[in-house]
Amino acid sequence: MVTKVQYPLAAGDKGLIDDSTSRVSPTLALIAGWLVPGAGHLLLGKWIRAALLMTSVLCMFAIGIALQGKIFTPNIGEPLDMLGFAGDLGSGLCYLIARLMGWGQAPVLVAVADYGTKFIAVAGLLNIVAAVDAHSLASGRKRS
């Protein structure tokens, strides 16, 4: 799908940017970027950024699992568990695979496992930020 988009430059600049290139749907970039880390940027042709994001999120998630971090489940009784679940769910398919494989289900008994839990949550939060960035790039609100 080819669209013609015109949007203003940064403050102080004159004129409009005329972008007649093929565009990816912002919603597709957002969902793909959430499900698979870096996929939103990959769809937009940002290969290096996609590789860096994918490597960062997957490595942080893997380190968290290796440190025996906890994978949170939906729990409406504990506010901190709900926040942990939201952070973990941000990892997209990594979270779903971890739940299906039974990783991160053991109770946290050592301090190192608590660090692992933080690695998993931060990987999810980074993935959410990356997916929103891909959405902003695809919608034209942000220039690369």
Side-chain angles (χ1 to χ4, degrees):
M1 175 164 108
V2 177
T3 59
K4 189 162 185 127
V5 178
Q6 288 189 336
Y7 48 92
L9 292 171
D13 292 339
K14 295 181 179 168
L16 295 173
I17 295 174
D18 185 11
D19 188 4
S20 301
T21 60
S22 175
R23 309 285 284 166
V24 174
S25 164
T27 305
L28 177 64
L30 179 70
I31 293 171
W34 169 67
L35 285 174
V36 178
H41 289 87
L42 196 63
L43 289 173
L44 296 171
K46 308 288 181 200
W47 310 105
I48 294 173
R49 192 178 299 181
L52 289 172
L53 287 168
M54 182 178 283
T55 302
S56 298
V57 172
L58 293 178
C59 285
M60 287 175 60
F61 195 86
I63 289 169
I65 294 294
L67 291 174
Q68 300 174 352
K70 178 181 178 182
I71 298 287
F72 287 95
T73 57
N75 181 359
I76 58 171
E78 293 289 328
L80 291 178
D81 282 356
M82 290 188 311
L83 290 173
F85 171 68
D88 288 356
L89 190 61
S91 296
L93 288 178
C94 294
Y95 174 79
L96 297 175
I97 291 169
R99 287 292 311 268
L100 290 174
M101 299 296 286
W103 299 335
Q105 301 303 315
V108 175
L109 299 176
V110 293
V112 174
D114 192 42
Y115 289 121
T117 302
K118 303 306 183 260
F119 266 88
I120 294 167
V122 171
L125 296 174
L126 175 62
N127 195 43
I128 291 171
V129 170
V132 170
D133 181 60
H135 179 271
S136 295
L137 287 169
S139 67
R141 282 189 286 162
K142 179 181 174 186
R143 291 188 289 175
S144 57

